[in-house]
Amino acid sequence: MSGSHRLLLCASAWLLLGASLVLQAAEFDIEEARTYLEGGTYRLDADIDLALSEQALEALDNGVPLTIEVRLRIRRDGAWVWEESLQADQWRYRIRYKPLSERYSIDRVSGGEIDSFVSRESALRALGTMRGLRLVDADRLATDEDYAVHLRVALDIDELPLPLRPIAYLRPAWKLESKWTQWPLRR
């Protein structure tokens, strides 16, 4: 193999490695989650890495609001697929860039601004830091059963502006979601 062929092969390998790292970087990941009992109610603390793709970051920086959906289920440990969840919740948050103030804001879709941030990174970090979310009242849990908490986070493509939706449905860079993460509900 000649030197130019080896150089071309090495360059191709580096490009493929770089492309795979970019693809791996754009995903949501539930890094840590814990539940605790406070005043007769179970609560959730979670740390989520919201790594947006370059396309999503560009859209956000150009004023396109992004809606992040957090889904949670509490199920009996070992429940069959068809068994109903004890509790099923979803929280929806919108992050947007406001060019006039040059700030990023996060608000609950159901109403109410949560906070405003100077940088995109601090806004995404704050959005991924969930503290004290109400889960279920302790008296709803059977004392002889164990329960598992399931959590998933995703970008809601249906909330994007209409002209952007077809592109988002077809391009993998817009399919940002975590896997369902499960852990025991600590009593």
Side-chain angles (χ1 to χ4, degrees):
M1 183 181 279
S2 72
S4 62
H5 284 102
R6 271 189 236 136
L7 183 61
L8 182 61
L9 185 61
C10 287
S12 298
W14 278 107
L15 285 173
L16 287 173
L17 178 63
S20 69
L21 290 174
V22 168
L23 289 174
Q24 289 174 357
E27 64 183 12
F28 293 169
D29 183 39
I30 300 167
E31 295 176 335
E32 185 178 351
R34 75 176 187 95
T35 56
Y36 57 94
L37 185 61
E38 180 180 272
T41 301
Y42 282 96
R43 298 199 173 271
L44 168 73
D45 287 349
D47 293 318
I48 303 165
D49 180 19
L50 299 172
L52 296 174
S53 65
E54 286 298 319
Q55 291 86 347
L57 290 172
E58 182 181 352
L60 178 62
D61 288 343
N62 284 297
V64 175
L66 302 178
T67 302
I68 307 297
E69 181 179 73
V70 179
R71 289 183 176 227
L72 178 127
R73 297 184 307 201
I74 299 174
R75 298 176 50 84
R76 187 179 61 79
D77 205 20
W80 294 96
V81 174
W82 56 83
E83 282 186 50
E84 195 171 313
S85 297
L86 173 72
Q87 179 100 7
D89 288 314
Q90 97 177 0
W91 298 283
R92 299 165 58 76
Y93 301 93
R94 186 175 295 120
I95 182 171
R96 71 177 70 209
Y97 178 65
K98 297 181 176 181
L100 291 176
S101 64
E102 296 181 343
R103 296 181 70 84
Y104 291 84
S105 70
I106 299 172
D107 62 302
R108 238 179 253 272
V109 172
S110 60
E113 186 170 315
I114 294 176
D115 215 341
S116 179
F117 301 88
V118 174
S119 73
R120 178 180 66 202
E121 291 76 22
S122 60
L124 287 170
R125 191 171 32 259
L127 183 56
T129 304
M130 302 185 170
R131 296 291 179 258
L133 293 176
R134 185 181 182 289
L135 296 180
V136 65
D137 291 333
D139 59 3
R140 289 193 55 208
L141 304 177
T143 56
D144 60 338
E145 292 282 351
D146 291 323
Y147 294 91
V149 178
H150 304 258
L151 188 66
R152 180 175 180 241
V153 182
L155 174 68
D156 188 350
I157 293 175
D158 291 330
E159 290 294 319
L160 291 171
L162 194 55
L164 189 54
R165 285 185 209 164
I167 295 167
Y169 279 118
L170 296 174
R171 295 208 176 136
W174 285 96
K175 292 177 178 54
L176 299 170
E177 60 187 19
S178 71
K179 298 175 183 170
W180 279 103
T181 301
Q182 173 184 333
W183 67 96
L185 179 64
R186 300 281 180 218
R187 293 195 224 191

